[in-house]
Amino acid sequence: MSDILKKLLEILPSKDKAKLGILAVMMLVGGFLEVFSIGIIAGFVAVVADPGILFDIEPLKRVLNFLGIETSRDILFYGAIFLIIVFLLKNAYIVFYKYVKARFIYHRYKSISRKLFGIYMNVPYSFHLRRNSADLTRNVVTEAKALATNVMLPVLEIATETVMILGVITLLFVVEPTVTLVTIFLLGGVSALFLKVVRGRTKKHGERALEERARIIKTVNEGVGGFKDATVMNRQNWFTKRFEKSVDALSRAEIFRQAVKATVRPVIETIAVLGVLLIALLLLNKGYSIGALASVLALFVLSIQRLLPAINSIVGNYNSLRYHAYALQPIYEDMTALKEYEEKKREFVKDKMPLKESIEVRKVTFVYPETKEEVLKDVSLSVKKGSAIGLVGATGSGKTTLVDLILGLLEPTKGEVLVDGKDIKESVNEWQENIGYIPQFIYLSDDSIRNNIAFGIDEEKIDEKRIKEAVKAARLDEFVKSLPEGLSTFIGERGIRLSGGQRQRIGIARALYNDPEVLVMDEATSSLDNVTEKFVIEAIERLKKERTLIIIAHRLTTVKNCDTLYLIKKGKIAAQGSYEKLLENKDFKEMTDSGK
Ligand SMILES: Nc1ncnc2c1ncn2[C@@H]1O[C@H](COP(=O)(O)OP(=O)(O)O)[C@@H](O)[C@H]1O
Ligand SMILES: [Mg+2]
């Protein structure tokens, strides 16, 4: 419990902690009002039994006389009015407090999920290489909400009710210590016993539920994402079965939680009825008069009636807390470990980092996080402004890794990537702003062609002229013209309504939208047939004149016209030079023979 509180406080921004302070004060006031209202009723009962007692208290008598309250009738009448006013005010306050509390909780949901998504969008690329997207989706979508409503809210509820219970018990203790002790023992003991019984299983189910929530998202993503493969291979059942298994486990956990929640009240209520009878007996035994008995019994009945839902709420919330506490763990871990990325707001990096002379990869060695193997070993190469280089080599030789380092997506383990002698690490956003990147698999969203080319820009801020230029340069213009809705045509999720070549050219247009000086292509044409590839290569040829190109290619024809070719072999540059010169290399020759 204290561990949960510590972690919660750690992920809350300091502004929220001040709000929490205000909430705590409001909580205390609410607790006091509850106790006060109970005391007043008990007092009222005593007065009803014997109105004269008020006149026995000398200072009070003077006040009452001053107010013109002289008879027992007056006392009952004004007493009733006073009672009503107190309850009205108290309940109005309680409603207000609940509203403030709900607001606090849901605003935390907003701020935590927003912050977490911000972190996931701003972390280095290497983070996403290690993490499954289903976990991240779950954390942002369901766990952040669970954290607010099922962890923070219960903590507040427990605190609120505890304050109230302590107040009521203090009042009771002042009036009747022995009977109070019996009450505490009964109600407290039974609640504690109940919690002990369900504790272990609640914890187990809670842990399980967290896992299954991620597995459900994962299964849906993979099943729907791999629909074509799954259908052709007839593997649909594997996905539906796996889904069912997760939903089943999650349901069982939820059923257990609900059942426990529903059991709390009846158990405590039964004890309470027994308790009240016991208290009446105890009081009679002590020789109370009927009037005093009525008053004290009223006090206890009212208190227990108020304590019941409070204990109910504490036990229920404590359980919910144990069940959902696991939502806190992944969020806490990511929010503390990745804190530095939280405020890295790169709205729009306006300034491109220009390329004046050359890009230089200097003695770069790279090891992927959590692995040992050196994927690149002491690689050095230099790309002059306005030139085109081609990277070739077998799959797994390290081409993509090398390009990701140049893109600033990954940071070298040793060595550096320099642009005009300056390490790109220092202004990686500005550097990226000057690069157009065309990956092998273009990520397309279910949106219009226009929005896919501009990508991540509000529709009204899209520069139509630049779109037109990019479309033309990517040789996409004829295709767009053939569509009835032109650039506004929707292309389906992941571009499902496009052919491979069309997708690739949208990728090229996207890379060109920013009008970058450097273009990086990672096997951008490998998945294309020869004719389509020719079109794309033609597009590339035209781009070559004014830009610096770094091209990874599978087919050597694609890079034949590059100024320098690098043959990468097992993380090292095995040979470099023009196409003709490289033909002398054995490995390279093998590639040309088989890969034509
Ligand atoms: N995220 C990763 N974590 C660990 N190893 C990786 C990761 N990505 C690639 N590798 C390894 O790095 C090596 C080079 O991969 P890559 O650069 O993609 O090669 P290429 O693009 O030439 O096919 C391969 O052995 C691959 O298994
Ligand atoms: Mg690759």
Side-chain angles (χ1 to χ4, degrees):
M1 181 81 178
S2 64
D3 183 48
I4 296 178
L5 288 180
K6 213 185 98 223
K7 286 177 178 169
L8 273 182
L9 282 178
E10 217 171 307
I11 59 173
L12 280 182
S14 48
K15 215 169 59 191
D16 288 3
K17 282 176 203 151
K19 285 186 188 154
L20 205 57
I22 297 175
L23 216 57
V25 172
M26 287 188 71
M27 192 189 295
L28 284 175
V29 173
F32 170 77
L33 285 178
E34 293 273 15
V35 174
F36 184 65
S37 60
I38 291 174
I40 285 220
I41 290 208
F44 190 68
V45 171
V47 172
V48 170
D50 179 10
I53 53 169
L54 285 189
F55 294 115
D56 294 344
I57 306 165
E58 196 50 42
L60 193 61
K61 188 180 169 189
R62 259 187 255 149
V63 176
L64 290 175
N65 281 342
F66 178 76
L67 292 171
I69 301 172
E70 273 155 9
T71 64
S72 302
R73 271 183 68 93
D74 284 351
I75 284 189
L76 288 184
F77 179 71
Y78 287 110
I81 289 180
F82 182 60
L83 201 67
I84 290 169
I85 291 174
V86 167
F87 269 79
L88 271 179
L89 287 179
K90 180 208 88 172
N91 284 332
Y93 179 84
I94 297 293
V95 169
F96 176 66
Y97 169 65
K98 294 227 152 128
Y99 165 76
V100 173
K101 199 169 63 180
R103 251 184 80 105
F104 178 79
I105 292 299
Y106 279 92
H107 280 216
R108 296 302 74 70
Y109 159 54
K110 192 179 74 181
S111 66
I112 289 173
S113 60
R114 158 73 187 76
K115 213 159 129 183
L116 199 58
F117 184 57
I119 286 176
Y120 291 157
M121 289 304 292
N122 281 308
V123 289
Y125 175 58
S126 54
F127 170 85
H128 288 279
L129 289 176
R130 279 179 286 133
R131 294 284 292 267
N132 189 293
S133 66
D135 281 348
L136 309 186
T137 308
R138 179 203 59 189
N139 290 352
V140 171
V141 179
T142 63
E143 302 317 293
K145 186 145 181 223
L147 182 60
T149 57
N150 296 323
V151 177
M152 289 169 84
L153 187 60
V155 168
L156 280 182
E157 296 281 5
I158 290 175
T160 309
E161 301 296 1
T162 306
V163 165
M164 211 272 310
I165 287 178
L166 286 179
V168 171
I169 284 180
T170 311
L171 175 71
L172 292 182
F173 213 83
V174 170
V175 175
E176 212 359 293
T178 12
V179 179
T180 306
L181 278 179
V182 173
T183 315
I184 294 173
F185 182 72
L186 266 178
L187 290 179
V190 169
S191 312
L193 192 72
F194 182 82
L195 280 178
K196 207 172 152 61
V197 170
V198 296
R199 197 183 153 120
R201 288 184 64 195
T202 303
K203 187 177 153 174
K204 216 181 74 207
H205 279 299
E207 264 171 324
R208 183 75 194 271
L210 176 79
E211 279 167 28
E212 297 304 346
R213 283 196 293 270
R215 205 164 292 155
I216 286 172
I217 299 174
K218 195 165 165 243
T219 307
V220 173
N221 281 351
E222 289 172 0
V224 176
F227 180 80
K228 215 168 164 183
D229 306 52
T231 308
V232 173
M233 299 173 81
N234 270 314
R235 299 283 154 78
Q236 297 97 324
N237 282 351
W238 187 81
F239 288 96
T240 48
K241 280 222 184 79
R242 195 164 81 157
F243 183 82
E244 190 184 331
K245 216 171 130 199
S246 295
V247 176
D248 193 52
L250 186 60
S251 303
R252 254 181 290 136
E254 287 292 323
I255 290 169
F256 174 79
R257 192 175 69 90
Q258 294 291 344
V260 168
K261 201 171 153 196
T263 319
V264 177
R265 198 184 166 92
V267 168
I268 294 175
E269 209 172 74
T270 315
I271 301 303
V273 172
L274 284 175
V276 169
L277 289 178
L278 198 70
I279 289 166
L281 263 170
L282 277 174
L283 291 177
L284 267 178
N285 243 354
K286 281 187 134 186
Y288 270 76
S289 72
I290 292 297
L293 180 73
S295 160
V296 175
L297 203 57
L299 179 67
F300 272 88
V301 170
L302 278 173
S303 300
I304 288 177
Q305 198 223 9
R306 192 62 200 81
L307 288 178
L308 267 193
I311 294 174
N312 186 12
S313 156
I314 288 183
V315 174
N317 278 311
Y318 183 73
N319 252 310
S320 160
L321 200 57
R322 289 199 71 86
Y323 181 83
H324 289 284
Y326 300 96
L328 176 59
Q329 197 51 33
I331 291 183
Y332 171 79
E333 275 169 16
D334 285 350
M335 283 184 107
T336 46
L338 307 169
K339 208 173 168 57
E340 55 180 306
Y341 302 106
E342 173 186 306
E343 285 309 323
K344 193 179 145 202
K345 285 201 194 97
R346 39 188 288 191
E347 274 297 318
F348 266 101
V349 187
K350 276 272 153 52
D351 305 320
K352 284 180 189 162
M353 177 169 160
L355 173 64
K356 294 193 194 96
E357 309 262 324
S358 67
I359 305 166
E360 202 187 333
V361 174
R362 190 186 285 170
K363 294 190 170 171
V364 163
T365 296
F366 185 78
V367 181
Y368 276 100
E370 288 165 26
T371 65
K372 289 205 183 79
E373 198 199 342
E374 291 185 343
V375 170
L376 291 176
K377 297 170 201 112
D378 204 23
V379 170
S380 297
L381 61 83
S382 159
V383 188
K384 276 218 191 69
K385 180 189 164 101
S387 71
I389 68 153
L391 301 174
V392 292
T395 1
S397 55
K399 304 181 297 292
T400 298
T401 309
L402 178 57
V403 154
D404 285 348
L405 286 159
I406 295 175
L407 285 168
L409 283 173
L410 299 172
E411 273 187 33
T413 312
K414 270 188 238 155
E416 59 222 326
V417 179
L418 309 166
V419 170
D420 299 337
K422 217 176 113 195
D423 198 329
I424 58 166
K425 210 160 58 180
E426 282 149 35
S427 36
V428 75
N429 294 342
E430 287 75 8
W431 170 233
Q432 284 163 348
E433 196 70 8
N434 203 7
I435 308 181
Y437 171 52
I438 308 159
Q440 182 168 7
F441 303 103
I442 314 279
Y443 182 88
L444 295 173
S445 50
D446 186 11
D447 210 330
S448 63
I449 294 181
R450 176 186 294 105
N451 285 346
N452 263 294
I453 293 175
F455 199 59
I457 296 181
D458 285 334
E459 184 127 30
E460 61 275 11
K461 287 191 193 135
I462 293 176
D463 186 337
E464 207 60 29
K465 208 177 123 228
R466 276 160 65 183
I467 291 273
K468 290 249 158 66
E469 277 165 14
V471 164
K472 205 160 154 234
R475 310 210 66 197
L476 204 59
D477 35 0
E478 265 173 44
F479 170 63
V480 170
K481 249 182 235 151
S482 74
L483 297 166
E485 288 180 74
L487 283 169
S488 305
T489 309
F490 271 58
I491 59 174
E493 203 179 342
R494 280 170 283 122
I496 207 162
R497 285 180 220 130
L498 300 177
S499 76
Q502 290 158 351
R503 247 176 266 177
Q504 221 59 40
R505 274 182 271 177
I506 289 187
I508 296 177
R510 177 188 290 170
L512 293 173
Y513 176 79
N514 257 358
D515 194 24
E517 290 182 302
V518 183
L519 266 186
V520 174
M521 272 169 257
D522 187 350
E523 305 206 28
T525 58
S526 323
S527 61
L528 306 181
D529 57 81
N530 285 334
V531 183
T532 326
E533 193 198 5
K534 244 175 100 181
F535 274 112
V536 177
I537 293 171
E538 241 181 81
I540 297 172
E541 282 299 315
R542 292 206 332 219
L543 302 170
K544 221 176 110 175
K545 294 186 187 102
E546 53 229 78
R547 282 168 236 263
T548 310
L549 300 185
I550 299 172
I551 304 170
I552 297 181
H554 202 63
R555 290 195 200 104
L556 288 168
T557 44
T558 322
V559 284
K560 209 170 169 179
N561 296 333
C562 284
D563 303 310
T564 317
L565 297 187
Y566 292 87
L567 175 63
I568 315 277
K569 198 178 166 188
K570 291 184 183 149
K572 281 188 180 152
I573 296 178
Q576 68 185 78
S578 65
Y579 182 74
E580 285 71 27
K581 192 186 158 209
L582 278 196
L583 277 179
E584 293 156 22
N585 185 289
K586 194 173 106 294
D587 292 310
F588 191 74
K589 196 151 181 305
E590 251 167 45
M591 284 189 75
T592 48
D593 292 341
S594 60
K596 246 182 189 162

